[in-house]
Amino acid sequence: ASGTEATYTFTPSSALTPATYQKIIFVIQGKASAGFDLELIVNNIVAGYIYQTTLNDSGTLSGSTASGQSEFVACPIEIIDADRPFYCEVNCYFNEVDNLLQINADGGGSNEGSSRVFGETTTAIATITSLEFETSTSTWGSGTTIDTYGVLR
């Protein structure tokens, strides 16, 4: 990012399909202006995300489950703190058995801890036309990077 931003949308030149891709990987590194959840929205679908979070917040372990959510929380606010570096790797897998997109995310924040989130969409997704990362509040700072990779079949 050349400045502060709260959203980033990846729109491929042609739709991503399970016939071509095993998974799509995003690596996000940056610094937050204030704490936020790093959220993912697939194909503009804003309902039906389910996920489980395992959190190590400064040495305190906890877990939680969410269902019927309007976004997938890839890295929770407990990990992304104001003016501290953070990292998150998000893997999106096509599940061809039921056409759901399964999502696995690992994140970490400087002096904050780490998180592991696994979940899926409850809406069938045969192709990916857009993936949007957004913050729940605040912005990420200048110099934040979001790298995108695709693993071919």
Side-chain angles (χ1 to χ4, degrees):
S2 57
T4 59
E5 297 178 29
T7 63
Y8 166 78
T9 303
F10 172 72
T11 306
S13 56
S14 60
L16 307 178
T17 67
T20 305
Y21 290 95
Q22 170 71 33
K23 66 178 176 177
I24 309 301
I25 304 166
F26 294 91
V27 177
I28 302 112
Q29 298 179 75
K31 189 182 276 190
S33 60
F36 59 76
D37 287 331
L38 180 63
E39 303 167 343
L40 173 64
I41 296 173
V42 180
N43 292 352
N44 297 312
I45 298 169
V46 291
Y49 295 90
I50 60 173
Y51 51 89
Q52 299 78 40
T53 303
T54 303
L55 182 65
N56 176 348
D57 185 7
S58 301
T60 301
L61 299 177
S62 64
S64 63
T65 299
S67 62
Q69 300 299 301
S70 59
E71 69 282 312
F72 178 89
V73 174
C75 195
I77 194 168
E78 292 87 351
I79 301 305
I80 301 177
D81 202 9
D83 206 31
R84 305 292 302 167
F86 71 90
Y87 169 88
C88 188
E89 181 176 317
V90 180
N91 292 271
C92 300
Y93 299 87
F94 287 105
N95 181 331
E96 295 181 77
V97 174
D98 54 12
N99 286 328
L100 300 180
L101 189 69
Q102 294 181 314
I103 307 166
N104 181 40
D106 292 298
S110 180
N111 295 328
E112 291 299 316
S114 60
S115 63
R116 182 166 185 85
V117 185
F118 178 78
E120 62 190 16
T121 60
T122 57
T123 301
I125 295 179
T127 63
I128 294 175
T129 56
S130 72
L131 292 144
E132 178 182 337
F133 286 95
E134 65 181 17
T135 65
S136 58
T137 60
S138 181
T139 58
W140 55 71
S142 178
T144 296
T145 60
I146 301 175
D147 296 318
T148 307
Y149 306 91
V151 177
L152 296 172
R153 290 208 179 261

